Amino acid sequence: MNANGIASAVRSGERSAVRIVETCLDRVTQRDGATNAITRLLAERALDQARRVDALVAEGIDPGPLAGVPFGIKDLFDVEGLVTTAGSRVLAGNAPADCDAVLVSRLVSAGAIPLATTNMDEFAYGFATDNVHYGQTRNPHDTARLAGGSSGGSAAGVAAGYFPLSLGSDTNGSIRVPASLCGIWGLRTTQGLLPVEGSYPFVASLDTVGPFTASAADMRTVIEVLGGAPLDAVDPDTLRLSLLGGWFAKDLSAEMAAALSGFCKTLSIYDEIVVPGVEEARAAAFVISASEGGALHLDRLRSQPELYDPAVRDRLLAGALVPAPNVFRAHKLRRWFRDRLHEAFTQTDILVAPAVIGEAPRIDSPMLEIGGRSVPARANLGLYTQPLTLAGFPVLTVPLAVEGLPLGLQLVAPPGREDRLIAYGEMLERTGLARARLLED
């Protein structure tokens, strides 16, 4: 199930948008007890909008490039008539949203149909979608394993075949980590490229929003809709690729190391670039995230601490106590590290790095081996995504065509060069080196 295929069939009258939505709703009802990707089904709205799409087609009117395509919405985006939860009970008393978030509205205007809101780590603070209020989202490819987070419900929903695209957010890896673990395409867009209006913030100075899709070709269509303009044409054969070494070569699982080596060998990627200061950049991302997150929630933490997930509450409280000079130094390092990445792109067009250290961890043992120590996955699955957060550059997660559980790579480009990433992703998809892992009927 891919978005372009659905839209083409609906626009031609070959398929009914209503029937597509009914099938997707049935699929969620039958499957999501095992996966727990969905927090709320938008059945009435979805069916009403599907009828409107079918009516437009019957009148000879084009409903848009995403006609009849169901999509999922991470539960921190506003949906008209619903309370925006951000994965928490803390916001339950807020008034319902009076309009859709900007990105939701743009998809709807293109003919897409909102099907459901999706599970997430509370207030997007985590990499595991282990939510004390709404439950654990499980990986569709092995429900004994994590789906990743914080946009785990959106990624798992695409992988499970509930919808071919969904919306997520990425502050420190919240699109890239679950896309890799669930075996789908995910795009952290250039910071500031897409509007965040109507999405609940986590770390305003780092937050980005972006899509998950079932194919690279779908990603092109979706990002053009969300960005409001067609991407420039890029010949992928003209692009130079280099492997990110140093920090990004440590702690890889045997499966990831083999997959990455095979990928580079097949594509004749021999250049390696070691960007300085990666470990310090990750530490700076932790400091900025903790301090801004803590400051955002401090008043509510003082008055209603019992409403929070205890693990999230404690991290937010610790962040609120970070001394201001440390935050200043973190932002200073951020600027320095961004300059180092810009320098790297004087030697190459796309940087390649693993998205995570390996396959999805088991839920009954959510730990990772990093630096010879066993550490919690919830905070450390972003080992390779979090440092790149500081630069604000676009990153495409590529699902590798490998046996076994899904593995994903990050393709990184300079700011505003999503066109390079998607063109190269489409080439990888055409040649069979990358493919989404979707549960089929």
Side-chain angles (χ1 to χ4, degrees):
M1 180 172 68
N2 64 75
N4 286 333
I6 289 173
S8 177
V10 169
R11 293 161 77 189
S12 69
E14 179 185 342
R15 298 185 68 183
S16 158
V18 168
R19 183 62 188 134
I20 289 166
V21 166
E22 289 174 340
T23 299
C24 290
L25 290 171
D26 288 345
R27 195 170 291 158
V28 172
T29 301
Q30 294 166 13
R31 293 181 180 175
D32 202 49
T35 306
N36 194 37
I38 304 303
T39 53
R40 293 173 289 193
L41 276 176
L42 310 177
E44 183 177 350
R45 175 175 175 175
L47 288 168
D48 284 347
Q49 187 167 331
R51 293 185 192 101
R52 288 195 291 272
V53 168
D54 285 340
L56 289 173
V57 172
E59 295 172 17
I61 301 171
D62 186 349
L66 293 172
V69 177
F71 69 97
I73 306 166
K74 186 176 182 177
D75 220 345
L76 54 63
F77 290 94
D78 288 347
V79 176
E80 184 179 3
L82 300 182
V83 175
T84 305
T85 74
S88 180
R89 302 287 190 191
V90 176
L91 305 180
N94 286 7
D98 57 11
C99 63
D100 291 334
V102 173
L103 292 195
V104 174
S105 179
R106 289 182 180 179
L107 291 177
V108 170
S109 295
I113 298 173
L115 190 87
T117 59
T118 61
N119 201 15
M120 57 181 286
D121 287 288
E122 185 179 56
F123 293 117
Y125 210 162
F127 292 115
T129 311
D130 182 5
N131 189 301
V132 73
H133 312 293
Y134 298 100
Q136 173 81 66
T137 294
R138 296 172 177 269
N139 196 307
H141 303 294
D142 181 350
T143 56
R145 295 179 183 270
L146 295 174
S150 65
S151 308
S154 286
V158 173
Y162 302 162
F163 29 71
L165 76 94
S166 58
L167 292 175
S169 66
D170 188 309
T171 301
N172 288 300
S174 290
I175 288 175
R176 291 164 285 164
V177 168
S180 177
L181 299 186
C182 291
I184 61 170
W185 299 84
L187 180 63
R188 175 194 163 94
T189 53
T190 302
Q191 190 166 4
L193 176 73
L194 298 180
V196 297
E197 285 83 3
S199 62
Y200 197 88
F202 171 31
V203 183
S205 69
L206 299 177
D207 289 346
T208 61
V209 288
F212 297 94
T213 62
S215 74
D218 286 353
M219 186 64 76
R220 175 179 293 277
T221 302
V222 172
I223 202 63
E224 288 180 343
V225 166
L226 294 177
L231 295 172
D232 291 339
V234 174
D235 180 356
D237 292 333
T238 66
L239 297 173
R240 301 167 296 164
L241 271 72
S242 300
L243 183 66
L244 271 172
W247 176 269
F248 299 95
K250 299 176 182 178
D251 299 304
L252 294 174
S253 70
E255 293 83 2
M256 179 60 87
L260 180 59
S261 176
F263 180 87
C264 291
K265 183 177 180 181
T266 300
L267 295 168
S268 300
I269 301 172
Y270 301 117
D271 291 336
E272 181 176 282
I273 293 176
V274 177
V275 177
V278 177
E279 184 173 5
E280 292 81 359
R282 185 180 183 228
F286 267 122
V287 169
I288 293 169
S289 298
S291 61
E292 287 194 28
L296 178 66
H297 289 271
L298 186 56
D299 288 344
R300 193 180 287 115
L301 286 165
R302 285 171 170 154
S303 62
Q304 299 173 302
E306 72 283 355
L307 296 183
Y308 285 80
D309 174 341
V312 172
R313 178 195 62 212
D314 292 349
R315 294 175 74 187
L316 290 170
L317 286 170
L321 298 175
V322 174
N326 291 5
V327 180
F328 173 81
R329 284 194 291 269
H331 279 286
K332 183 177 180 180
L333 190 141
R334 177 188 185 183
R335 293 189 292 272
W336 176 87
F337 185 70
R338 184 169 53 223
D339 290 343
R340 303 293 78 75
L341 272 183
H342 274 293
E343 289 172 1
F345 282 111
T346 64
Q347 307 170 55
T348 194
D349 297 311
I350 292 177
L351 291 167
V352 180
V356 291
I357 69 171
E359 60 191 23
R362 290 185 58 85
I363 291 171
D364 61 6
S365 181
M367 307 296 287
L368 302 173
E369 290 295 323
I370 297 176
R373 297 186 301 115
S374 184
V375 297
R378 183 171 183 170
N380 290 283
L381 274 167
L383 182 73
Y384 302 136
T385 60
Q386 198 163 15
L388 298 174
T389 285
L390 284 194
F393 290 10
V395 187
L396 178 68
T397 302
V398 173
L400 294 175
V402 294
E403 298 298 322
L405 290 166
L407 296 170
L409 299 182
Q410 298 180 90
L411 301 185
V412 190
R417 297 315 306 259
E418 281 81 358
D419 54 352
R420 289 182 187 174
L421 298 178
I422 294 174
Y424 205 83
E426 289 174 318
M427 182 276 289
L428 294 173
E429 190 168 60
R430 286 194 302 271
T431 58
L433 291 173
R435 60 177 171 85
R437 300 279 288 278
L438 310 175
L439 297 187
E440 302 291 346
D441 291 330

